[in-house]
Amino acid sequence: SRLANQTYQSDQSSSWTREISDEVKNRIKQLKLNRYKVVVQTLIGEKRGQGVRFGTRSFWDPNTDFAASETFSNENLFAVVVAYGVWTYY
């Protein structure tokens, strides 16, 4: 993982989220799901012994649209990535 040996740095978290989101989006695009709009959301935070809840809500067609998520954690930080694929009708 890109974050495996990192400590949380607020000044770096913005670029890390952008880089991770772009990488996930590019990997999904390699699947050639041409009729899908892909949206990737990444959250990185510092671990300080607190609990974290992350929720999303979407309006979509459950027959064609999808979402997938992955979490990562080390001693210093956590990350959550959610990828959405929304079918585009022509």
Side-chain angles (χ1 to χ4, degrees):
S1 168
R2 175 185 307 249
L3 301 174
N5 298 315
Q6 298 291 343
T7 58
Y8 181 78
Q9 300 172 38
S10 61
D11 59 330
Q12 289 291 329
S13 63
S14 177
S15 63
W16 290 341
T17 57
R18 188 173 32 263
E19 291 167 7
I20 292 168
S21 293
D22 288 345
E23 182 177 341
V24 170
K25 190 172 183 179
N26 288 335
R27 287 185 184 196
I28 293 171
K29 284 184 175 186
Q30 289 176 0
L31 299 174
K32 302 206 185 296
L33 304 171
N34 297 328
R35 301 263 324 250
Y36 281 89
K37 168 70 175 170
V38 176
V39 178
V40 178
Q41 182 177 17
T42 302
L43 170 70
I44 297 175
E46 182 176 17
K47 286 174 93 175
R48 292 185 172 176
Q50 79 281 19
V52 174
R53 291 189 143 201
F54 179 81
T56 64
R57 191 167 202 161
S58 303
F59 179 73
W60 64 16
D61 184 342
N63 296 316
T64 57
D65 303 338
F66 69 87
S69 65
E70 185 64 40
T71 60
F72 169 81
S73 177
N74 66 20
E75 291 182 12
N76 302 298
L77 58 83
F78 66 90
V80 179
V81 179
V82 183
Y84 303 92
V86 181
W87 180 261
T88 55
Y89 294 92
Y90 298 130

